[in-house]
Amino acid sequence: MKQAVFFGVEERLARLSGLGDQLEAFSRTVDFEVFRPELDEALAYSDGSKGGRPPFDPVLMFKILVIQTLNNLSDERTEYLITDRLSFMRFLGLGLSDRVPDARTVWLFRERLTQAGAIEILFNRFDAILRNAGYLPMSGQILDATLVAAPKQRNTNTEKVGLREGRIPQDWQDKPSRLSHKDRHARWTLKFTKAKRQEDGSMPATDLAIPFFGYKSHISIDRKFRLIRKWKTTDAATSDGARLREGLLDRSNTASDVWADTAYRSKANEAFMEKQVFVSKVHRKKPHLKPMPRHIQRSNTGKSVIRSRVEHVFADQKSQMGLFIRTVGITRATMRIGLANIVYNMRRFLLLERINAAA
């Protein structure tokens, strides 16, 4: 009977492979063992001499975070689906009789990496893998930012003022359990969207402004391979432009051109790029109360063809991964966005390798 079950599992796994198991492609293309030194250093587990149950393998746990990010799963849902899905178990190297990490274990593992500030180190480790595979930053770079939603906070006006001033409201200090559920770093901002044409065919005079609460993901991708090379997480109210001067530009790119929208056009940014020997391809703004000169309009149109490629990155993260901040605080938000950036690069790596194999 057991032998029949075994062969049934093998047959089911073979069928999953034939249908196109993305996780199996991950296992073939990405060597997750390269992350082990960084994971071991960040986790700093004891040698086990004091007894107790040994921790799960850190590479296995990191692969669980990859699954979680790919499928936009909560910790509880992650535990259930690992137990339920053969494709998840095969990716993790678990058998039907093996112990599965529970939701609390997944949370503790991610929290330990978060507090160690390991996400940027892990991102850089995979970036080194991409470079060694021949995917060097080439043909210039494109900068942009997108808003990432977080659970809305119901605060009083007095509490909001205190948070903006960097103070913790007294009522929260007296109730630690309440404070732990309050996100003091996420901010409200206005998200502008293009006004839609009315039923009579006319266009409203102004665009729509929608209140938005959460964080902002800033990235720089290379033009050639569209891989994320630099990134940064801020609150949603932070301006995009100033981030250009805060480490978003990749000096290792083989070309010096920089594309970005009008939010990055400023005298400070232009002077910074000129000093750092970058060539600005940033969109020019429309003159105040004057029509846009035709030559500038044509120039912006040409730049948009290239700049728009960065939008595909955000679309992939939000539609495929359901990028959303479930946690509290910018440190955990940085971990969440950093994982999304690593997983996006992994998925892009798979596509590039597939294209090269078919060429």
Side-chain angles (χ1 to χ4, degrees), residues 111-337:
E111 185 70 6
R112 195 153 185 167
L113 290 182
T114 301
Q115 299 307 320
I119 188 60
E120 189 169 350
I121 298 172
L122 294 170
F123 179 90
N124 291 337
R125 165 57 65 185
F126 189 64
D127 186 63
I129 294 173
L130 295 172
R131 293 168 187 260
N132 290 336
Y135 300 108
L136 299 173
M138 299 173 69
S139 304
Q141 53 198 298
I142 309 170
L143 276 61
D144 205 358
T146 190
L147 294 168
V148 183
K152 297 179 179 64
Q153 303 285 294
R154 307 299 180 183
N155 301 326
T156 65
N157 290 332
T158 302
E159 290 170 342
K160 291 177 183 178
V161 171
L163 290 174
R164 283 194 292 268
E165 294 175 352
R167 294 184 288 103
I168 300 177
Q170 185 62 44
D171 186 44
W172 296 4
Q173 297 183 36
D174 298 336
K175 299 177 181 178
S177 60
R178 184 182 182 189
L179 177 61
S180 66
H181 289 87
K182 287 293 185 178
D183 196 330
R184 292 173 284 138
H185 302 118
R187 291 290 182 269
W188 284 97
T189 189
L190 290 176
K191 181 180 180 180
F192 292 93
T193 60
K194 294 293 182 182
K196 296 181 179 179
R197 190 176 297 277
Q198 301 297 305
E199 293 182 0
D200 60 3
S202 62
M203 290 292 293
T206 58
D207 293 335
L208 301 177
I210 304 172
F212 185 95
F213 183 80
Y215 293 90
K216 189 174 286 186
S217 170
H218 308 260
I219 65 170
S220 170
I221 69 170
D222 68 280
R223 179 188 172 189
K224 174 70 174 180
F225 299 113
R226 304 184 197 182
L227 292 161
I228 300 172
R229 302 297 182 170
K230 299 287 183 181
W231 61 280
K232 187 179 182 69
T233 302
T234 66
D235 64 76
T238 301
S239 65
D240 298 351
R243 308 289 81 76
L244 179 145
R245 307 189 300 276
E246 296 178 358
L248 270 187
L249 292 178
D250 184 9
R251 300 177 188 277
S252 65
N253 198 291
T254 59
S256 57
D257 297 328
V258 177
W259 286 267
D261 61 27
T262 55
Y264 296 86
R265 169 69 67 170
S266 68
K267 291 182 178 179
N269 282 350
E270 294 300 304
F272 178 83
M273 285 188 283
E274 183 178 0
K275 184 178 180 181
Q276 300 296 325
V277 201
F278 288 106
V279 177
S280 173
K281 301 288 186 179
V282 180
H283 280 48
R284 291 187 178 273
K285 299 178 181 179
K286 176 182 175 297
H288 184 59
L289 299 177
K290 294 181 181 179
M292 175 75 83
R294 179 161 292 184
H295 70 282
I296 294 180
Q297 188 175 5
R298 285 197 300 265
S299 175
N300 282 350
T301 301
K303 293 172 182 176
S304 292
V305 174
I306 297 173
R307 194 209 66 80
S308 62
R309 295 175 185 175
V310 72
E311 302 293 349
H312 295 270
V313 179
F314 296 136
D316 182 90
Q317 290 182 325
K318 291 186 176 182
S319 63
Q320 298 297 322
M321 303 180 210
L323 183 57
F324 179 82
I325 304 300
R326 287 190 174 91
T327 53
V328 174
I330 194 167
T331 304
R332 295 189 180 104
T334 300
M335 181 70 180
R336 175 72 177 97
I337 291 173

Side-chain angles (χ1 to χ4, degrees), residues 25-50:
F26 266 57
S27 295
R28 287 196 306 265
T29 310
V30 179
D31 180 11
F32 284 91
E33 278 297 320
V34 300
F35 295 102
R36 186 176 294 279
E38 285 75 17
L39 291 170
D40 287 340
E41 183 176 355
L43 296 167
Y45 286 144
S46 66
D47 58 7
S49 59
K50 295 183 179 180

